[in-house]
């Protein structure tokens, strides 16, 4: 393989670990970190399939109105009393309604597709907000140490001592009508993201603090200090880029946990409220009629199961691909 056009060295794959190429002179032309990551990640077929499923789910969420229109399904909040039998029980799957309908005559497939939007929005945005808060606090605590580390670490311990589900129930009920923080946090998706960020930033802060405590003593940080770099530059230009890999891995594992957390709050009645579709809310509504309408719980339950499983499998694949000590 020739690189760089005319006169460039001829490269051949290097034997052994495959971390680069050999040029005509026998020197190794190293791969970039991104190419190394992709080389390791693409060998994990389970993670690749899971990543493809996540991409499909994301596209489904973004194009939900178009998908509903193409499938010829009614909207998620369209009720039709004619789709229940003489006893008021919902009708099962059919060509017109592949996933059946609920007790109000709403199409289950439409609601499952729109529920994808809620789950991804809560999982991804909630994790992003929690990561930003946790990174800032973790970097400050690990870099400055001393009384800054003591105060911030004890604050983290206080938040960790509060049961997450109990905190979610209390805040979910308090924010359900008029929102929270003087109306800045609105009921519904906004309040769930607020609860997730408030509950989960502590874990990220602890991970970041431990990594920064180690990185602040490395030679490149000492070199930056010797060159007169400010603390802010050292923290966010020198140390923070070295935290990207572990943060990506942990965030990919935190997203499915947050999706499950939203589903649990919605199931308990303090999360997403009707008429907005949510998988946890649908499972709760289907519980009393499961014996006569199994499809109403089965399809949102499978959507929740496969989405959470896919994110976890991708997280495992990322951990293997980004860990240089993992042999492939």
């Amino acid at each position: 393989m020739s690189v760089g056009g005319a006169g460039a060295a001829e490269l051949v794959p290097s034997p052994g670990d495959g971390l680069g190429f050999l040029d005509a002179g026998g020197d190794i032309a190293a791969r970039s970190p991104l190419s190394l990551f992709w080389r390791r990640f693409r060998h994990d077929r389970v993670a690749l399939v899971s990543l493809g499923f996540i991409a499909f789910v994301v596209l489904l969420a973004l194009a939900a109105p178009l998908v509903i229109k193409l499938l010829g399904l009614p909207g998620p909040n369209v009720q039709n009393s004619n789709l229940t039998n003489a006893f008021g029980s919902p009708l099962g799957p059919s060509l017109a309604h592949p996933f059946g309908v609920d007790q109000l005559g709403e199409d289950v497939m439409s609601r499952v597709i729109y529920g994808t939007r809620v789950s991804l929005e809560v999982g991804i945005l909630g994790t992003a907000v929690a990561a930003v808060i946790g990174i800032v606090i973790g970097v400050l605590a690990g870099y400055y140490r001393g009384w800054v580390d003591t105060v911030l670490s004890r604050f983290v311990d206080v938040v960790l001592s509060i049961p997450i589900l109990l905190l979610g129930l209390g805040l979910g009920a308090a924010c359900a009508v008029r929102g929270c923080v003087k109306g800045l946090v609105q009921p519904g998706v906004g309040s769930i993201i607020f609860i997730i960020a408030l509950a989960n930033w502590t874990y990220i802060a602890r991970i970041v603090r431990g990594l920064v405590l180690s990185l602040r003593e490395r030679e490149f940080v000492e070199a930056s200090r010797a060159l007169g770099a400010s603390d802010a530059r050292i923290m966010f230009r020198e140390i923070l880029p070295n935290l990207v890999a572990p943060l990506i891995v942990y965030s990919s594992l935190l997203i499915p946990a947050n999706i499950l957390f939203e589903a649990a709050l919605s199931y308990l009645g303090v999360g997403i409220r009707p008429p907005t579709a949510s998988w946890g809310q649908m499972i709760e509504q289907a519980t009393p009629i499961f014996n006569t309408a199994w499809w109403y719980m089965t399809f949102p339950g499978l959507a929740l199961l496969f989405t959470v499983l896919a994110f976890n499998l991708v997280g495992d694949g990322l951990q293997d691909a980004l860990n240089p000590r993992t042999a492939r």
Side-chain angles (χ1 to χ4, degrees):
M1 180 179 65
S2 179
V3 178
E10 191 74 17
L11 298 182
V12 295
S14 64
D17 57 7
L19 297 181
F21 293 95
L22 290 177
D23 61 20
D27 296 327
I28 295 180
R31 296 174 183 262
S32 67
L34 182 61
S35 64
L36 284 173
F37 159 75
W38 175 244
R39 178 182 178 276
R40 297 165 68 88
F41 184 78
R42 65 186 173 88
H43 282 83
D44 192 339
R45 301 302 172 85
V46 175
L48 279 179
V49 173
S50 301
L51 182 62
F53 179 80
I54 292 174
F56 168 74
V57 171
V58 171
L59 290 175
L60 190 66
L62 294 174
L66 179 60
V67 172
I68 296 299
K69 184 177 180 180
L70 291 176
L71 294 176
L73 300 174
N77 300 323
V78 176
Q79 302 178 5
N80 188 348
S81 59
N82 295 326
L83 297 177
T84 58
N85 59 25
F87 299 98
S89 298
L91 301 180
S94 62
L95 291 177
H97 305 280
F99 289 1
V101 299
D102 60 16
Q103 63 268 41
L104 298 177
E106 299 171 329
D107 186 82
V108 174
M109 190 173 189
S110 294
R111 294 186 66 78
V112 169
I113 292 174
Y114 271 83
T116 304
R117 283 184 157 188
V118 172
S119 294
L120 291 181
E121 188 176 356
V122 166
I124 295 174
L125 291 182
T127 301
V129 175
V132 171
I133 299 173
I135 288 171
V136 172
I137 292 181
V139 169
L140 292 175
Y143 183 81
Y144 285 111
R145 300 191 299 183
W147 69 269
V148 176
D149 183 21
T150 301
V151 172
L152 293 178
S153 296
R154 298 297 78 78
F155 179 59
V156 169
D157 292 337
V158 170
V159 178
L160 284 172
S161 67
I162 304 174
I164 294 179
L165 186 58
L166 182 61
L167 177 65
L169 289 172
L171 291 177
C175 301
V177 180
R178 298 182 179 179
C180 298
V181 195
K182 297 183 178 180
L184 294 177
V185 180
Q186 294 299 314
V189 174
S191 63
I192 299 300
I193 292 175
F194 172 72
I195 294 169
I196 287 175
L198 190 62
N200 288 327
W201 67 266
T202 51
Y203 303 101
I204 297 178
R206 275 197 162 183
I207 292 174
V208 171
R209 173 187 174 273
L211 294 172
V212 172
L213 284 174
S214 174
L215 290 172
R216 72 185 303 276
E217 306 299 336
R218 301 285 292 273
E219 290 79 2
F220 67 91
V221 174
E222 294 294 337
S224 297
R225 289 198 188 98
L227 292 173
S230 64
D231 289 344
R233 179 181 176 83
I234 293 174
M235 286 187 289
F236 296 103
R237 294 291 298 275
E238 304 294 340
I239 294 179
L240 188 58
N242 290 278
L243 305 177
V244 171
L247 286 174
I248 289 175
V249 173
Y250 186 73
S251 297
S252 66
L253 297 174
L254 192 59
I255 289 174
N258 290 336
I259 292 175
L260 282 176
F261 186 58
E262 178 275 320
L265 292 180
S266 298
Y267 182 87
L268 295 173
V270 295
I272 305 300
R273 303 292 183 89
T276 304
S278 164
W279 293 338
Q281 170 207 114
M282 295 174 67
I283 294 173
E284 185 276 329
Q285 293 174 347
T287 302
I289 60 172
F290 177 73
N291 292 331
T292 58
W294 56 269
W295 56 88
Y296 191 23
M297 179 182 289
T298 300
F299 291 112
L302 288 175
L304 180 62
L305 170 65
F306 289 136
T307 302
V308 170
L309 180 62
F311 272 106
N312 280 319
L313 292 175
V314 169
D316 291 340
L318 289 174
Q319 185 173 16
D320 293 338
L322 292 171
N323 185 0
R325 298 180 180 86
T326 302
R328 282 288 183 186

